[in-house]
């Protein structure tokens, strides 16, 4: 009997909520005032309180018979809030003073727990997110308050409306969550900084980064929103914090966004606003880790003939693919920001030993992706025993970055004598010289090497002599000498001599 009375009471509340939905402000209802007074908002708050959902009992399989009715009533209330907040911005502060912002936040956290088992709850979460977004749009005070409460007072890093919405199984809810997050962060450096400075905020930022990296539809509205959010983080100067942690997490989404940002902002002044020594150091660490994955996987499987396995060496194939995505973005970033040779950025690349990693990576790729002069030679070198020629060495052949790496070395090297000397000492000049030949794998690599060499040799007598010596040795080398255990070298007076190789 009590249960029937309770259901009837909830249905009456549901009817009151439906009446609010029907008389909510809307462009199609010009006869309804867009401004909502405090008395009305307090009555809406009363209904939110009356329709509170009981905490979920995880151990119980019994479905609450009131849940669907409560979800429908709360959805109607959130529709009213969403429309009223959109029609008149003055409603935002009045609604907030009546406790509506807290009501909508609680509705999201309560209903998201039921979205799998109750379709009404799923719709309620989506509409609640839209209502909360409209409540804070354009209202800096409410935006900041929401961000601070969610990121600094939550019991758990997972216990925030942003995390609930972005983790929902409903794509419409995910989109509503992104809109809410974007509305809170756009042109709000304080809120963006808080996102990056708190553990709960970094969890949300990481989720956004992964969503951006995994979204392959560059024309979608969702990816555009993700990019704008990540742009706020980049412009806030906090990206190095998100890249610099020791935790193993995919960072390719952050790097993809930074690569796009650098391509869209083409002047040194714009680069210097977002590129810092800390960010260069973070990029170098990611570059080093990615190279280490390749070293361990390729060196451990030098004699392996099959890549039809789940792992390569001791590393999961997924790690190698993540390394590929990170390297793709980093070489694009470094190639772009070094094009005009900003002195400050070049100094950081030298101080953080980024150039060391670039040269080491070029050496690794040169070893495992040898030069192929003709298509016939390539066909001749493909394995024939059981392997599909189209898939042979498919993993290694993803890493076609040699042209890009030579470009970066040339960009950095031409800026100063010290940079030129460092490139030479690290073996970078030798590697560039070694690529001044036709390579069917890398069209135009010879042209890249020529341009890089021009910058590396400019006004540098030591490097010019080094190249001259290399050319003489190369001309003097003879396969018959090697067979006899002999090697040509240039002695102190500049003449070529031959010595036995021990």
């Amino acid at each position: 009997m009590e249960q029937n009375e309770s259901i009837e009471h909830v249905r009456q509340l549901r009817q009151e909520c439906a009446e609010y939905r029907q008389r909510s402000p809307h462009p199609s209802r010009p006869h309804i005032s867009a401004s909502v007074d405090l008395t009305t908002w307090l009555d809406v708050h009363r209904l939110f309180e009356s329709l509170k959902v009981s905490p979920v009992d995880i151990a119980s399989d019994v479905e609450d018979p009131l849940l669907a009715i409560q979800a429908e009533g709360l959805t109607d209330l959130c529709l009213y809030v969403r429309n009223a907040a959109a029609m008149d911005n003055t409603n935002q502060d009045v609604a907030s003073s009546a406790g509506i912002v807290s009501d909508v936040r609680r509705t999201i956290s309560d209903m998201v727990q039921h979205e799998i088992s109750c379709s009404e709850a799923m719709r309620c979460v989506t509409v609640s997110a839209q209502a909360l977004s409209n409540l804070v749009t354009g209202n800096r005070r409410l935006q900041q308050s929401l961000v601070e409460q969610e990121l600094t007072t939550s019991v758990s890093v997972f216990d925030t409306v942003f995390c609930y919405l972005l983790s929902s199984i409903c794509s419409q809810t995910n989109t509503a969550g992104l809109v809410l997050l974007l509305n809170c962060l756009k042109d709000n450096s304080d809120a963006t900084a808080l996102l990056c400075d708190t553990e709960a905020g970094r969890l949300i930022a990481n989720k956004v980064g992964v969503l951006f990296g995994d979204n392959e539809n560059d024309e979608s509205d969702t990816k555009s929103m993700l990019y704008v959010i990540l742009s706020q983080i980049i412009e806030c100067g906090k990206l190095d914090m998100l890249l610099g942690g020791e935790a193993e997490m995919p960072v390719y989404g952050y790097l993809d966004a930074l690569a796009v940002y650098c391509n869209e902002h083409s002047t040194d002044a714009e680069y210097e606003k977002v590129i810092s020594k800390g960010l260069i150091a973070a990029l170098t660490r990611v570059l080093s880790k990615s190279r280490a994955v390749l070293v361990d996987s390729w060196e451990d499987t030098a004699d392996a003939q099959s890549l039809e396995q789940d792992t390569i060496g001791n590393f999961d194939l997924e790690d190698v693919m993540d390394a590929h995505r990170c390297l793709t973005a980093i070489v694009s970033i470094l190639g772009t920001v070094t094009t005009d040779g900003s002195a400050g950025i070049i100094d950081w690349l030298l101080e953080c030993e980024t150039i060391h990693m670039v040269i080491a990576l070029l050496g690794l790729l040169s070893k495992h992706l040898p030069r192929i002069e003709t298509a016939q030679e390539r066909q001749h070198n493909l394995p024939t025993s059981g392997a599909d020629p189209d898939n042979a060495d498919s993993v290694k052949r993803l890493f076609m970055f040699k042209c890009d790496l030579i470009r970066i070395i040339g960009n950095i090297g031409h800026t100063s004598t010290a940079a030129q000397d460092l490139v030479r000492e690290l073996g970078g000049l030798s590697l560039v010289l070694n690529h001044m030949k036709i390579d069917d794998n890398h069209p135009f690599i010879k042209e890249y090497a020529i341009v890089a060499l021009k910058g590396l040799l400019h006004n540098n007598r030591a490097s010019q002599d080094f190249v001259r010596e290399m050319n003489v040795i190369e001309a003097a080398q003879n396969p018959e000498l090697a067979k006899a255990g002999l090697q040509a070298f240039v002695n102190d007076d500049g003449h070529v001599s031959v010595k036995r190789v021990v």
Side-chain angles (χ1 to χ4, degrees):
M1 186 69 178
E2 288 184 6
Q3 185 178 27
N4 291 337
E5 291 178 356
S6 178
I7 292 175
E8 183 60 33
H9 176 63
V10 172
R11 283 176 175 165
Q12 290 175 0
L13 294 173
R14 164 75 177 84
Q15 183 58 39
E16 291 185 61
C17 297
E19 292 172 1
Y20 267 109
R21 182 197 64 193
Q22 291 170 2
R23 59 176 196 264
S24 64
H26 195 272
S28 64
R29 303 168 188 151
H31 59 285
I32 297 177
S33 173
S35 179
V36 180
D37 58 32
L38 179 60
T39 302
T40 302
W41 283 122
L42 288 173
D43 192 52
V44 172
H45 170 67
R46 174 187 64 82
L47 289 171
F48 269 114
E49 289 288 323
S50 300
L51 289 172
K52 275 184 183 177
V53 177
S54 302
V56 176
D57 184 357
I58 299 176
S60 175
D61 293 329
V62 179
E63 187 172 321
D64 186 351
L66 299 176
L67 180 61
I69 305 174
Q70 289 171 302
E72 290 174 343
L74 291 169
T75 299
D76 286 343
L77 290 179
C78 288
L79 281 168
Y80 180 84
V81 174
R82 183 191 70 182
N83 293 347
M87 289 293 292
D88 189 340
N89 289 344
T90 62
N91 289 329
Q92 296 172 326
D93 291 319
V94 182
S96 177
S97 67
I100 302 300
V101 173
S102 297
D103 291 334
V104 176
R105 288 171 59 213
R106 185 184 63 242
T107 300
I108 292 173
S109 62
D110 288 346
M111 283 296 164
V112 76
Q113 302 174 69
H114 300 280
E115 63 174 354
I116 294 178
S117 61
C118 179
S119 60
E120 292 86 355
M122 180 182 293
R123 170 163 166 72
C124 183
V125 175
T126 301
V127 176
S128 298
Q130 295 168 350
L132 188 56
S133 181
N134 284 1
L135 279 170
V136 302
T137 298
N139 191 314
R140 180 61 63 89
R141 183 185 66 81
L142 290 181
Q143 290 171 353
Q144 193 68 24
S145 174
L146 177 63
V147 172
E148 288 177 358
Q149 289 184 49
E150 291 299 318
L151 301 185
T152 62
T153 65
S154 297
V155 176
S156 163
V157 295
F158 302 100
D159 187 30
T160 68
V161 292
F162 301 112
C163 190
Y164 290 144
L165 298 174
L166 296 182
S167 303
S168 170
I169 62 173
C170 177
S171 61
Q172 289 181 316
T173 300
N174 299 152
T175 300
L178 288 176
V179 172
L180 172 63
L181 183 60
L182 179 57
N183 285 341
C184 289
L185 300 184
K186 190 167 178 58
D187 300 323
N188 189 339
S189 59
D190 292 337
T192 305
L194 192 61
L195 183 78
C196 301
D197 291 338
T198 58
E199 187 177 358
R202 288 191 290 272
L203 177 68
I204 296 162
N206 292 342
K207 180 68 173 176
V208 171
V210 171
L211 289 173
F212 181 82
D214 290 343
N215 190 320
E216 298 181 355
N217 184 0
D218 292 339
E219 304 301 321
S220 71
D221 292 338
T222 298
K223 187 152 191 177
S224 297
M225 281 193 291
L226 291 166
Y227 175 67
V228 174
I229 294 171
L230 293 174
S231 295
Q232 295 295 123
I233 294 173
I234 293 170
E235 292 176 350
C236 189
K238 296 286 187 176
L239 188 58
D240 58 319
M241 294 179 58
L242 302 177
L243 293 173
E246 294 299 325
E248 293 298 325
M249 63 176 187
V251 297
Y252 51 78
Y254 291 139
L255 299 174
D256 286 348
L258 182 58
V260 174
Y261 187 93
C262 289
N263 285 328
E264 291 183 349
H265 299 78
S266 57
T267 67
D268 286 346
E270 290 175 309
Y271 295 151
E272 290 171 359
K273 288 181 181 178
V274 299
I275 304 295
S276 64
K277 184 178 179 180
L279 181 55
I280 293 296
L283 292 176
T284 305
R285 286 192 294 270
V286 177
L287 186 61
S288 176
K289 289 180 181 179
S290 300
R291 179 182 174 274
V293 171
L294 301 188
V295 168
D296 288 324
S297 61
W298 290 354
E299 300 292 344
D300 288 350
T301 59
D303 298 326
Q305 295 297 316
S306 174
L307 293 174
E308 298 177 3
Q309 305 172 14
D310 291 334
T311 61
I312 300 179
N314 296 323
F315 282 80
D316 192 283
L317 180 60
E318 186 176 348
D319 291 334
V320 178
M321 300 307 295
D322 284 351
H324 168 261
R325 299 187 67 171
C326 289
L327 291 174
T328 300
I330 290 176
V331 296
S332 174
I333 294 165
L334 295 180
T336 302
V337 301
T338 59
T339 296
D340 296 325
S342 168
I345 293 177
I346 297 299
D347 288 343
W348 292 332
L349 291 170
L350 298 178
E351 290 177 34
C352 297
E353 299 189 351
T354 313
I355 186 62
H356 297 62
M357 293 309 308
V358 170
I359 292 172
L361 181 59
L362 179 59
L364 179 68
L365 296 183
S366 298
K367 177 180 179 181
H368 290 278
L369 292 171
R371 180 173 60 86
I372 296 179
E373 295 186 8
T374 65
Q376 290 80 4
E377 182 181 347
R378 175 181 176 183
Q379 186 66 29
H380 176 74
N381 289 337
L382 288 176
T384 57
S385 57
D388 182 354
D390 293 333
N391 293 326
D393 288 332
S394 58
V395 173
K396 288 183 181 179
R397 296 180 72 82
L398 286 172
F399 295 85
M400 295 296 188
F401 304 135
K402 290 200 284 187
C403 287
D404 304 281
L405 296 172
I406 290 171
R407 173 193 175 196
I408 295 168
I409 292 171
N411 289 347
I412 295 175
H414 88 279
T415 57
S416 69
T417 301
Q420 293 170 334
D421 291 341
L422 180 60
V423 170
R424 185 184 67 249
E425 292 163 5
L426 294 173
L429 186 54
S430 299
L431 284 171
V432 172
L433 284 169
N434 191 45
H435 289 90
M436 293 184 65
K437 300 175 182 178
I438 295 173
D439 184 349
D440 215 40
N441 276 339
H442 295 79
F444 307 113
I445 195 169
K446 179 178 179 180
E447 287 73 16
Y448 274 84
I450 290 172
V451 173
L453 188 64
K454 180 179 178 181
L456 293 170
L457 299 184
H458 183 66
N459 291 334
N460 191 309
R461 181 62 181 271
S463 293
Q464 293 171 6
D465 291 343
F466 178 85
V467 172
R468 194 174 295 113
E469 179 180 310
M470 287 283 294
N471 288 338
V472 171
I473 292 177
E474 183 177 349
Q477 296 294 1
N478 188 301
E480 298 302 321
L481 289 178
K483 291 179 182 178
L486 301 174
Q487 184 180 40
F489 71 100
V490 178
N491 57 29
D492 293 338
D493 61 8
H495 294 91
V496 177
S497 299
V498 176
K499 65 178 180 180
R500 183 170 297 280
V501 179
V502 179

